[in-house]
Amino acid sequence: MPSDIGTRLARLEKLLRTAIRSPKLANASLENGAVDVYDENGSLRAVIGQQADGTSGIVHVNGPPPPIPTAPTLTPVLGGVAVTWDGLFMDADVTPLDFSRVEVHASATDGFEPAQETQVSTFESPRGGTVPIPAEAPVHVRLLARNLSGTASAQPSGTVGPVGPAAVVAQDVLDGIITETKIAQQAITEAKIALGAVTETKVAAGAVTTDKLTALSVTAEKIATLAVTTDKLAALSVTADQLAANSVTAAKIRAGAVEATHIKTGSITAEKLDANAINGKTITGATIQTAADGPRLVLSASRLRAIGSNGSSIGMEPNAAYPYIYWSSVDGTNQAFVNVSGSTSDANIGINSGSFTDPDSGGTYRWRTFFGNDFFAAERITVKGAEAVGGRLFLNKNVAQLQGNGGSLTLTDKTATVSAPAIRAAGVLRADNISIGTSTITPVPNKPTSVTLTGGNIKGANHRAFVTPVTSAPGDKVLGVGVTGVSASGLTIWLYRTNNTKTLVNWMIMGED
């Protein structure tokens, strides 16, 4: 070892440069642990190594929402609907590297929001494809993308539908395959039979019996010409409730096919006959009703009513100042109604609840939804005077306004105004024009030291920033902190400290108009 200090310092500098330039993890390993991966904002994005459940691998965490998938196409198939996705995303976005799947959601309701109970299938490949989903009635379908961390796309695809299962038509049925034992009771309904599907060769002898047909399921367009023959009908199978009005015509019945044993007593009634059977006849009377009491329909010169067994009723009042349809309570003391109002050329619609008494004020009110001449309102009004009292929603082409007792929210062109004595956010307030975070600076003692943050997308035309150091020695060790270069993408933070202690600095950028 040289004795002079200069030679020793030179050797130490050489060893230090060699150590700095050599690989840091050339012979490193993780022993019973994991490495957390964070993004530039300090958010955990992945865990590499041994996981909490004892397994090992890479687990994605807090991934950004995947892009919105394009809307699917729907095709009717037997027993359901075929859903096809082209593997593309809205705005021509590319498939993210952490793609997991695209969920298929279906509901009978248009514009529904996807939930766990609406998911019926998935596309596991980003190339798309076609998947069948079971359906007994027309459905609406939306797609929702998810990444490996379970994060869903910002919103589902547009709603497509309704599309229902394909009907079974004559070409799908082998000759003579339909026999009595193949048909469940009440299985044959009008919706299940395609036009002209019932032909002589499709129905086995004696297969059509009374219990196989639902009420009014047999209509003229469902039966092929001369398809009904004697051997196709079981004894007494044709009853009045099985035949739709005007369903029996000469072209549908082969000569001699219908015999006395096939027709139940009283089954041929006026409504089963062709309209010409009573052509030119007029029924006149002050009141026409289906029964003297109990459930019944009552038609008079002034109104039409349907009365239930409990006394409640539905009625039409065409002769009132504003014609309306009403639904009455059982005791007849209260009514909900839909009425038409306005000038002679208007057709404004009001949907009104039954009246009720406010226990605090003692006043009598009802709720009304009103579709007016280019405006809409949902409001609580007085029974006398129709004055709005309480919460109210008002919409027209220029404004949307939600009003309450002492406060309101008004939306106009590019402007939202909240007016109230006090405005509170129940929870965490988030805004695209505000970004916050924490950065670490290792300062050079007694010299301003900076760190620059980029990659942001903070809304606003002008931006300002606020920074504060996390320290217990302000004015002693930490003498100053400041910012420069504030923009929508980031800023530069400056720290002046008397030593080289790592210091956390909290920062916030706000965008303004």
Side-chain angles (χ1 to χ4, degrees):
M1 177 69 69
S3 58
D4 64 287
I5 189 67
T7 302
R8 290 186 177 183
L9 287 176
R11 286 188 175 184
L12 287 175
E13 287 179 353
K14 184 177 180 181
L15 290 173
L16 180 59
R17 285 194 299 271
T18 302
I20 291 174
R21 294 173 180 175
S22 63
K24 301 301 185 296
L25 297 176
N27 299 295
S29 65
L30 291 174
E31 302 294 340
N32 193 30
V35 174
D36 293 339
V37 179
Y38 294 86
D39 63 13
E40 68 276 7
N41 295 321
S43 297
L44 180 64
R45 287 306 176 95
V47 179
I48 304 173
Q50 185 167 340
Q51 307 301 318
D53 60 358
T55 60
S56 298
I58 300 176
V59 174
H60 297 260
V61 180
N62 300 324
I68 301 170
T70 55
T73 57
L74 307 183
T75 305
V77 295
L78 292 179
V81 177
V83 181
T84 301
W85 177 51
D86 57 12
L88 301 178
F89 295 91
M90 298 296 293
D91 300 325
D93 285 342
V94 298
T95 303
L97 296 180
D98 63 346
F99 172 88
S100 174
R101 64 189 180 277
V102 169
E103 299 174 351
V104 181
H105 293 262
S107 173
T109 304
D110 187 13
F112 72 98
E113 290 298 325
Q116 183 176 357
E117 60 270 16
T118 63
Q119 183 178 340
V120 293
S121 187
T122 59
F123 292 98
E124 299 295 331
S125 169
R127 296 180 180 179
T130 300
V131 295
I133 61 173
E136 297 180 355
V139 294
H140 302 267
V141 175
R142 306 183 81 177
L143 303 182
L144 185 71
R146 289 195 183 274
N147 60 21
L148 292 174
S149 62
T151 302
S153 51
Q155 64 186 56
S157 72
T159 305
V160 179
V163 173
V168 178
V169 298
Q171 291 82 355
D172 297 323
V173 183
L174 297 177
D175 291 346
I177 198 172
I178 301 177
T179 62
E180 180 178 358
T181 58
K182 303 300 183 182
I183 306 174
Q185 291 188 3
Q186 305 295 316
I188 301 177
T189 64
E190 182 178 356
K192 299 295 191 295
I193 307 175
L195 300 182
V198 180
T199 62
E200 180 181 356
T201 58
K202 304 301 181 184
V203 185
V208 180
T209 60
T210 304
D211 61 348
K212 307 303 182 185
L213 303 173
T214 60
L216 305 181
S217 61
V218 180
T219 60
E221 66 271 14
K222 305 298 184 184
I223 307 174
T225 302
L226 301 179
V228 179
T229 61
T230 303
D231 62 345
K232 305 304 182 186
L233 301 174
L236 301 180
S237 61
V238 180
T239 62
D241 59 351
Q242 257 71 52
L243 299 175
N246 301 321
S247 62
V248 180
T249 62
K252 306 302 180 184
I253 306 174
R254 179 168 294 180
V258 180
E259 300 174 352
T261 58
H262 297 129
I263 304 175
K264 191 172 182 178
T265 302
S267 62
I268 298 180
T269 59
E271 66 271 13
K272 309 306 178 185
L273 301 176
D274 188 82
N276 290 329
I278 57 172
N279 190 28
K281 303 298 188 292
T282 301
I283 300 175
T284 304
T287 300
I288 300 175
Q289 58 185 18
T290 57
D293 54 21
R296 61 196 184 277
L297 290 175
V298 180
L299 174 62
S300 66
S302 61
R303 70 177 66 174
L304 171 64
R305 291 186 297 160
I307 303 174
S309 58
N310 62 355
S312 61
S313 63
I314 302 173
M316 297 174 57
E317 289 283 359
N319 297 316
Y322 293 129
Y324 65 93
I325 302 172
Y326 67 85
W327 292 258
S328 74
S329 59
V330 173
D331 61 6
T333 61
N334 205 350
Q335 288 185 351
F337 59 91
V338 177
N339 66 328
V340 178
S341 63
S343 65
T344 56
S345 62
D346 288 332
N348 301 325
I349 295 291
I351 303 176
N352 300 263
S353 72
S355 60
F356 56 89
T357 301
D358 189 322
D360 296 326
S361 66
T364 306
Y365 303 89
R366 70 171 77 251
W367 280 99
R368 175 178 69 178
T369 303
F370 193 82
F371 300 84
N373 192 344
D374 199 18
F375 75 91
F376 167 87
E379 54 196 354
R380 181 176 181 264
I381 62 173
T382 58
V383 171
K384 293 184 179 181
E387 179 184 356
V389 178
R392 184 174 189 265
L393 173 64
F394 177 84
L395 306 173
N396 65 19
K397 70 175 184 178
N398 296 318
V399 67
Q401 189 173 59
L402 178 63
Q403 296 174 314
N405 293 326
S408 66
L409 169 62
T410 302
L411 303 177
T412 57
D413 185 22
K414 299 180 181 179
T415 302
T417 303
V418 179
S419 176
I423 301 174
R424 297 180 178 87
V428 178
L429 180 64
R430 295 180 174 89
D432 291 342
N433 69 321
I434 300 176
S435 181
I436 61 175
T438 301
S439 296
T440 301
I441 299 178
T442 302
V444 177
N446 298 313
K447 183 178 179 180
T449 306
S450 67
V451 61
T452 299
L453 305 179
T454 61
N457 186 20
I458 304 162
K459 305 299 182 183
N462 301 296
H463 298 81
R464 65 175 66 188
F466 307 90
V467 292
T468 181
V470 180
T471 179
S472 60
D476 181 14
K477 299 293 189 295
V478 178
L479 302 183
V481 64
V483 296
T484 58
V486 180
S487 68
S489 62
L491 77 171
T492 298
I493 304 174
W494 294 86
L495 175 71
Y496 190 94
R497 188 171 183 137
T498 60
N499 56 24
N500 63 352
T501 301
K502 290 183 178 180
T503 304
L504 296 177
V505 178
N506 294 327
W507 55 269
M508 177 172 65
I509 302 175
M510 297 182 63
E512 301 175 311
D513 292 337

Short mmCIF file of all heavy atoms in Angstrom, two decimals, residues 202-254:
data_model
loop_
_atom_site.label_atom_id
_atom_site.label_comp_id
_atom_site.label_asym_id
_atom_site.label_seq_id
_atom_site.Cartn_x
_atom_site.Cartn_y
_atom_site.Cartn_z
N LYS A 202 -96.85 -31.75 -41.49
CA LYS A 202 -96.11 -31.45 -40.27
C LYS A 202 -96.80 -31.97 -39.01
O LYS A 202 -96.21 -32.02 -37.95
CB LYS A 202 -95.88 -29.94 -40.13
CG LYS A 202 -95.19 -29.28 -41.32
CD LYS A 202 -93.84 -29.88 -41.59
CE LYS A 202 -93.18 -29.18 -42.77
NZ LYS A 202 -91.90 -29.79 -43.12
N VAL A 203 -98.09 -32.30 -39.09
CA VAL A 203 -98.86 -32.66 -37.91
C VAL A 203 -99.27 -34.12 -38.00
O VAL A 203 -99.89 -34.55 -38.97
CB VAL A 203 -100.11 -31.76 -37.78
CG1 VAL A 203 -100.85 -32.06 -36.48
CG2 VAL A 203 -99.71 -30.29 -37.84
N ALA A 204 -98.94 -34.89 -36.95
CA ALA A 204 -99.33 -36.30 -36.92
C ALA A 204 -100.81 -36.42 -36.62
O ALA A 204 -101.42 -35.54 -36.01
CB ALA A 204 -98.51 -37.04 -35.88
N ALA A 205 -101.40 -37.54 -37.01
CA ALA A 205 -102.83 -37.76 -36.79
C ALA A 205 -103.15 -37.69 -35.30
O ALA A 205 -102.49 -38.32 -34.47
CB ALA A 205 -103.25 -39.12 -37.37
N GLY A 206 -104.17 -36.90 -34.93
CA GLY A 206 -104.62 -36.80 -33.55
C GLY A 206 -103.72 -36.03 -32.63
O GLY A 206 -103.92 -36.01 -31.41
N ALA A 207 -102.69 -35.35 -33.17
CA ALA A 207 -101.72 -34.65 -32.31
C ALA A 207 -102.29 -33.38 -31.71
O ALA A 207 -101.89 -32.96 -30.62
CB ALA A 207 -100.47 -34.31 -33.11
N VAL A 208 -103.21 -32.72 -32.41
CA VAL A 208 -103.76 -31.45 -31.93
C VAL A 208 -104.95 -31.73 -31.03
O VAL A 208 -106.01 -32.16 -31.49
CB VAL A 208 -104.18 -30.55 -33.11
CG1 VAL A 208 -104.75 -29.24 -32.58
CG2 VAL A 208 -103.00 -30.30 -34.03
N THR A 209 -104.76 -31.49 -29.72
CA THR A 209 -105.83 -31.65 -28.74
C THR A 209 -106.04 -30.34 -28.02
O THR A 209 -105.19 -29.43 -28.08
CB THR A 209 -105.50 -32.76 -27.73
OG1 THR A 209 -104.30 -32.40 -27.05
CG2 THR A 209 -105.30 -34.10 -28.43
N THR A 210 -107.14 -30.23 -27.28
CA THR A 210 -107.49 -28.96 -26.63
C THR A 210 -106.39 -28.47 -25.70
O THR A 210 -106.06 -27.27 -25.68
CB THR A 210 -108.79 -29.12 -25.84
OG1 THR A 210 -109.80 -29.59 -26.73
CG2 THR A 210 -109.22 -27.81 -25.21
N ASP A 211 -105.79 -29.37 -24.89
CA ASP A 211 -104.82 -28.91 -23.89
C ASP A 211 -103.49 -28.48 -24.49
O ASP A 211 -102.63 -27.96 -23.79
CB ASP A 211 -104.59 -30.01 -22.84
CG ASP A 211 -104.01 -31.28 -23.45
OD1 ASP A 211 -104.02 -31.39 -24.70
OD2 ASP A 211 -103.58 -32.15 -22.67
N LYS A 212 -103.27 -28.71 -25.81
CA LYS A 212 -102.02 -28.29 -26.44
C LYS A 212 -102.07 -26.85 -26.92
O LYS A 212 -101.04 -26.25 -27.25
CB LYS A 212 -101.70 -29.19 -27.65
CG LYS A 212 -101.70 -30.67 -27.35
CD LYS A 212 -100.73 -31.07 -26.24
CE LYS A 212 -100.76 -32.58 -26.05
NZ LYS A 212 -99.92 -32.99 -24.91
N LEU A 213 -103.26 -26.26 -26.99
CA LEU A 213 -103.41 -24.93 -27.58
C LEU A 213 -103.73 -23.91 -26.50
O LEU A 213 -104.59 -24.14 -25.64
CB LEU A 213 -104.55 -24.94 -28.61
CG LEU A 213 -104.43 -25.95 -29.76
CD1 LEU A 213 -105.69 -25.94 -30.58
CD2 LEU A 213 -103.22 -25.63 -30.62
N THR A 214 -103.03 -22.77 -26.52
CA THR A 214 -103.39 -21.67 -25.64
C THR A 214 -104.51 -20.86 -26.28
O THR A 214 -104.77 -20.97 -27.48
CB THR A 214 -102.19 -20.75 -25.37
OG1 THR A 214 -101.73 -20.22 -26.61
CG2 THR A 214 -101.07 -21.51 -24.69
N ALA A 215 -105.16 -20.03 -25.47
CA ALA A 215 -106.29 -19.25 -25.97
C ALA A 215 -105.89 -18.38 -27.15
O ALA A 215 -104.85 -17.72 -27.13
CB ALA A 215 -106.87 -18.40 -24.85
N LEU A 216 -106.68 -18.40 -28.21
CA LEU A 216 -106.52 -17.56 -29.41
C LEU A 216 -105.21 -17.81 -30.15
O LEU A 216 -104.71 -16.95 -30.86
CB LEU A 216 -106.63 -16.07 -29.04
CG LEU A 216 -107.90 -15.65 -28.29
CD1 LEU A 216 -107.86 -14.16 -28.03
CD2 LEU A 216 -109.15 -16.03 -29.07
N SER A 217 -104.62 -19.02 -29.94
CA SER A 217 -103.34 -19.29 -30.60
C SER A 217 -103.49 -19.62 -32.07
O SER A 217 -102.57 -19.44 -32.85
CB SER A 217 -102.63 -20.44 -29.88
OG SER A 217 -103.41 -21.62 -29.93
N VAL A 218 -104.66 -20.11 -32.48
CA VAL A 218 -104.86 -20.50 -33.87
C VAL A 218 -105.48 -19.33 -34.63
O VAL A 218 -106.61 -18.93 -34.37
CB VAL A 218 -105.77 -21.74 -33.96
CG1 VAL A 218 -105.96 -22.13 -35.43
CG2 VAL A 218 -105.16 -22.90 -33.19
N THR A 219 -104.72 -18.74 -35.55
CA THR A 219 -105.22 -17.67 -36.40
C THR A 219 -105.08 -18.09 -37.86
O THR A 219 -104.35 -19.03 -38.19
CB THR A 219 -104.43 -16.37 -36.17
OG1 THR A 219 -103.05 -16.61 -36.48
CG2 THR A 219 -104.54 -15.92 -34.72
N ALA A 220 -105.83 -17.39 -38.74
CA ALA A 220 -105.92 -17.82 -40.13
C ALA A 220 -104.56 -17.88 -40.81
O ALA A 220 -104.28 -18.82 -41.57
CB ALA A 220 -106.84 -16.86 -40.89
N GLU A 221 -103.66 -16.89 -40.55
CA GLU A 221 -102.39 -16.86 -41.27
C GLU A 221 -101.41 -17.93 -40.83
O GLU A 221 -100.39 -18.17 -41.47
CB GLU A 221 -101.73 -15.47 -41.17
CG GLU A 221 -101.29 -15.09 -39.77
CD GLU A 221 -102.38 -14.39 -38.99
OE1 GLU A 221 -103.54 -14.45 -39.44
OE2 GLU A 221 -102.07 -13.80 -37.95
N LYS A 222 -101.69 -18.62 -39.69
CA LYS A 222 -100.80 -19.66 -39.20
C LYS A 222 -101.05 -21.00 -39.90
O LYS A 222 -100.23 -21.93 -39.80
CB LYS A 222 -100.97 -19.86 -37.69
CG LYS A 222 -100.78 -18.59 -36.86
CD LYS A 222 -99.39 -18.02 -37.00
CE LYS A 222 -99.24 -16.80 -36.08
NZ LYS A 222 -97.95 -16.15 -36.23
N ILE A 223 -102.21 -21.16 -40.55
CA ILE A 223 -102.62 -22.45 -41.10
C ILE A 223 -102.49 -22.43 -42.62
O ILE A 223 -103.03 -21.54 -43.29
CB ILE A 223 -104.08 -22.76 -40.70
CG1 ILE A 223 -104.25 -22.65 -39.18
CG2 ILE A 223 -104.47 -24.16 -41.17
CD1 ILE A 223 -105.68 -22.81 -38.72
N ALA A 224 -101.76 -23.40 -43.15
CA ALA A 224 -101.64 -23.51 -44.60
C ALA A 224 -102.98 -23.96 -45.19
O ALA A 224 -103.81 -24.60 -44.51
CB ALA A 224 -100.54 -24.50 -44.96
N THR A 225 -103.18 -23.66 -46.47
CA THR A 225 -104.43 -24.01 -47.14
C THR A 225 -104.66 -25.52 -47.08
O THR A 225 -103.76 -26.32 -47.37
CB THR A 225 -104.39 -23.54 -48.60
OG1 THR A 225 -104.17 -22.12 -48.60
CG2 THR A 225 -105.69 -23.86 -49.31
N LEU A 226 -105.90 -25.93 -46.66
CA LEU A 226 -106.33 -27.32 -46.59
C LEU A 226 -105.50 -28.17 -45.63
O LEU A 226 -105.44 -29.40 -45.75
CB LEU A 226 -106.32 -27.96 -47.99
CG LEU A 226 -107.21 -27.27 -49.05
CD1 LEU A 226 -107.08 -27.99 -50.38
CD2 LEU A 226 -108.64 -27.20 -48.60
N ALA A 227 -104.84 -27.51 -44.63
CA ALA A 227 -104.02 -28.27 -43.69
C ALA A 227 -104.85 -29.00 -42.66
O ALA A 227 -104.43 -30.01 -42.09
CB ALA A 227 -103.03 -27.34 -42.98
N VAL A 228 -106.05 -28.50 -42.36
CA VAL A 228 -106.89 -29.11 -41.33
C VAL A 228 -107.72 -30.23 -41.94
O VAL A 228 -108.59 -30.00 -42.78
CB VAL A 228 -107.81 -28.06 -40.67
CG1 VAL A 228 -108.68 -28.72 -39.61
CG2 VAL A 228 -106.98 -26.95 -40.07
N THR A 229 -107.44 -31.47 -41.54
CA THR A 229 -108.20 -32.63 -42.00
C THR A 229 -108.72 -33.38 -40.79
O THR A 229 -108.30 -33.16 -39.65
CB THR A 229 -107.32 -33.57 -42.85
OG1 THR A 229 -106.23 -34.03 -42.04
CG2 THR A 229 -106.76 -32.83 -44.06
N THR A 230 -109.66 -34.30 -41.04
CA THR A 230 -110.33 -35.01 -39.95
C THR A 230 -109.34 -35.72 -39.04
O THR A 230 -109.46 -35.66 -37.80
CB THR A 230 -111.32 -36.04 -40.54
OG1 THR A 230 -112.23 -35.36 -41.39
CG2 THR A 230 -112.08 -36.74 -39.42
N ASP A 231 -108.35 -36.42 -39.60
CA ASP A 231 -107.46 -37.22 -38.76
C ASP A 231 -106.47 -36.38 -37.95
O ASP A 231 -105.76 -36.91 -37.10
CB ASP A 231 -106.68 -38.23 -39.61
CG ASP A 231 -105.78 -37.54 -40.63
OD1 ASP A 231 -105.98 -36.34 -40.86
OD2 ASP A 231 -104.89 -38.22 -41.18
N LYS A 232 -106.41 -35.05 -38.18
CA LYS A 232 -105.50 -34.20 -37.41
C LYS A 232 -106.14 -33.70 -36.12
O LYS A 232 -105.45 -33.18 -35.24
CB LYS A 232 -105.06 -32.98 -38.25
CG LYS A 232 -104.45 -33.32 -39.59
CD LYS A 232 -103.27 -34.26 -39.49
CE LYS A 232 -102.69 -34.52 -40.87
NZ LYS A 232 -101.61 -35.54 -40.83
N LEU A 233 -107.48 -33.81 -36.00
CA LEU A 233 -108.19 -33.24 -34.86
C LEU A 233 -108.65 -34.34 -33.93
O LEU A 233 -109.30 -35.31 -34.36
CB LEU A 233 -109.40 -32.42 -35.33
CG LEU A 233 -109.11 -31.25 -36.28
CD1 LEU A 233 -110.43 -30.64 -36.76
CD2 LEU A 233 -108.26 -30.22 -35.61
N ALA A 234 -108.33 -34.20 -32.63
CA ALA A 234 -108.87 -35.11 -31.63
C ALA A 234 -110.31 -34.70 -31.34
O ALA A 234 -110.73 -33.57 -31.59
CB ALA A 234 -108.04 -35.06 -30.36
N ALA A 235 -111.08 -35.64 -30.78
CA ALA A 235 -112.49 -35.35 -30.49
C ALA A 235 -112.60 -34.16 -29.55
O ALA A 235 -111.89 -34.06 -28.55
CB ALA A 235 -113.13 -36.59 -29.86
N LEU A 236 -113.51 -33.21 -29.86
CA LEU A 236 -113.81 -32.02 -29.07
C LEU A 236 -112.59 -31.12 -28.86
O LEU A 236 -112.51 -30.38 -27.89
CB LEU A 236 -114.40 -32.43 -27.70
CG LEU A 236 -115.68 -33.26 -27.74
CD1 LEU A 236 -116.15 -33.58 -26.33
CD2 LEU A 236 -116.78 -32.55 -28.52
N SER A 237 -111.61 -31.20 -29.76
CA SER A 237 -110.40 -30.39 -29.60
C SER A 237 -110.61 -28.93 -29.96
O SER A 237 -109.90 -28.05 -29.49
CB SER A 237 -109.26 -30.96 -30.45
OG SER A 237 -109.62 -30.94 -31.81
N VAL A 238 -111.59 -28.63 -30.81
CA VAL A 238 -111.83 -27.26 -31.24
C VAL A 238 -112.85 -26.62 -30.31
O VAL A 238 -114.02 -27.01 -30.28
CB VAL A 238 -112.33 -27.20 -32.70
CG1 VAL A 238 -112.58 -25.75 -33.11
CG2 VAL A 238 -111.32 -27.85 -33.62
N THR A 239 -112.40 -25.64 -29.49
CA THR A 239 -113.29 -24.92 -28.58
C THR A 239 -113.18 -23.44 -28.87
O THR A 239 -112.25 -22.98 -29.54
CB THR A 239 -112.92 -25.19 -27.11
OG1 THR A 239 -111.60 -24.71 -26.88
CG2 THR A 239 -113.00 -26.67 -26.79
N ALA A 240 -114.11 -22.66 -28.33
CA ALA A 240 -114.19 -21.24 -28.66
C ALA A 240 -112.94 -20.48 -28.29
O ALA A 240 -112.47 -19.60 -29.02
CB ALA A 240 -115.40 -20.61 -27.96
N ASP A 241 -112.33 -20.80 -27.13
CA ASP A 241 -111.18 -20.00 -26.69
C ASP A 241 -109.90 -20.35 -27.42
O ASP A 241 -108.88 -19.68 -27.26
CB ASP A 241 -110.97 -20.14 -25.17
CG ASP A 241 -110.74 -21.59 -24.76
OD1 ASP A 241 -110.92 -22.48 -25.61
OD2 ASP A 241 -110.40 -21.81 -23.58
N GLN A 242 -109.90 -21.41 -28.23
CA GLN A 242 -108.72 -21.76 -29.01
C GLN A 242 -108.66 -21.01 -30.35
O GLN A 242 -107.62 -20.98 -30.99
CB GLN A 242 -108.69 -23.27 -29.28
CG GLN A 242 -107.71 -24.02 -28.38
CD GLN A 242 -108.19 -24.09 -26.97
OE1 GLN A 242 -109.31 -24.50 -26.75
NE2 GLN A 242 -107.37 -23.71 -26.02
N LEU A 243 -109.79 -20.44 -30.79
CA LEU A 243 -109.85 -19.82 -32.11
C LEU A 243 -109.80 -18.30 -32.01
O LEU A 243 -110.54 -17.70 -31.23
CB LEU A 243 -111.15 -20.23 -32.81
CG LEU A 243 -111.35 -21.74 -33.07
CD1 LEU A 243 -112.72 -21.99 -33.67
CD2 LEU A 243 -110.25 -22.29 -33.97
N ALA A 244 -108.91 -17.70 -32.76
CA ALA A 244 -108.89 -16.24 -32.86
C ALA A 244 -110.00 -15.78 -33.79
O ALA A 244 -110.50 -16.55 -34.62
CB ALA A 244 -107.54 -15.75 -33.36
N ALA A 245 -110.40 -14.52 -33.65
CA ALA A 245 -111.47 -13.98 -34.50
C ALA A 245 -111.09 -14.12 -35.97
O ALA A 245 -109.95 -13.85 -36.36
CB ALA A 245 -111.73 -12.53 -34.15
N ASN A 246 -112.03 -14.58 -36.79
CA ASN A 246 -111.88 -14.73 -38.24
C ASN A 246 -110.82 -15.76 -38.64
O ASN A 246 -110.28 -15.71 -39.74
CB ASN A 246 -111.53 -13.39 -38.90
CG ASN A 246 -112.60 -12.35 -38.65
OD1 ASN A 246 -113.78 -12.65 -38.66
ND2 ASN A 246 -112.16 -11.12 -38.40
N SER A 247 -110.47 -16.68 -37.71
CA SER A 247 -109.42 -17.64 -38.04
C SER A 247 -109.90 -18.78 -38.91
O SER A 247 -109.12 -19.38 -39.64
CB SER A 247 -108.82 -18.20 -36.74
OG SER A 247 -109.80 -18.89 -35.99
N VAL A 248 -111.18 -19.12 -38.84
CA VAL A 248 -111.71 -20.25 -39.62
C VAL A 248 -112.29 -19.72 -40.93
O VAL A 248 -113.31 -19.02 -40.93
CB VAL A 248 -112.79 -21.02 -38.82
CG1 VAL A 248 -113.33 -22.18 -39.66
CG2 VAL A 248 -112.20 -21.53 -37.53
N THR A 249 -111.63 -20.02 -42.02
CA THR A 249 -112.12 -19.64 -43.35
C THR A 249 -112.20 -20.90 -44.20
O THR A 249 -111.60 -21.93 -43.89
CB THR A 249 -111.19 -18.62 -44.01
OG1 THR A 249 -109.90 -19.23 -44.18
CG2 THR A 249 -111.04 -17.37 -43.15
N ALA A 250 -112.95 -20.80 -45.27
CA ALA A 250 -113.18 -21.98 -46.11
C ALA A 250 -111.89 -22.56 -46.66
O ALA A 250 -111.73 -23.77 -46.79
CB ALA A 250 -114.12 -21.61 -47.25
N ALA A 251 -110.90 -21.70 -46.97
CA ALA A 251 -109.67 -22.18 -47.59
C ALA A 251 -108.82 -23.01 -46.64
O ALA A 251 -107.94 -23.75 -47.07
CB ALA A 251 -108.86 -21.00 -48.12
N LYS A 252 -109.04 -22.87 -45.32
CA LYS A 252 -108.20 -23.57 -44.35
C LYS A 252 -108.70 -24.99 -44.06
O LYS A 252 -108.00 -25.78 -43.42
CB LYS A 252 -108.15 -22.79 -43.04
CG LYS A 252 -107.70 -21.34 -43.19
CD LYS A 252 -106.35 -21.22 -43.84
CE LYS A 252 -105.94 -19.75 -43.98
NZ LYS A 252 -104.67 -19.58 -44.69
N ILE A 253 -109.94 -25.32 -44.45
CA ILE A 253 -110.55 -26.58 -44.04
C ILE A 253 -110.79 -27.46 -45.27
O ILE A 253 -111.43 -27.03 -46.26
CB ILE A 253 -111.89 -26.33 -43.31
CG1 ILE A 253 -111.68 -25.36 -42.15
CG2 ILE A 253 -112.48 -27.64 -42.80
CD1 ILE A 253 -112.97 -24.95 -41.47
N ARG A 254 -110.30 -28.69 -45.23
CA ARG A 254 -110.56 -29.62 -46.31
C ARG A 254 -112.02 -30.09 -46.21
O ARG A 254 -112.56 -30.25 -45.11
CB ARG A 254 -109.60 -30.81 -46.22
CG ARG A 254 -109.82 -31.86 -47.31
CD ARG A 254 -108.69 -32.85 -47.36
NE ARG A 254 -107.45 -32.18 -47.77
CZ ARG A 254 -106.28 -32.81 -47.89
NH1 ARG A 254 -106.18 -34.10 -47.62
NH2 ARG A 254 -105.20 -32.14 -48.25
#
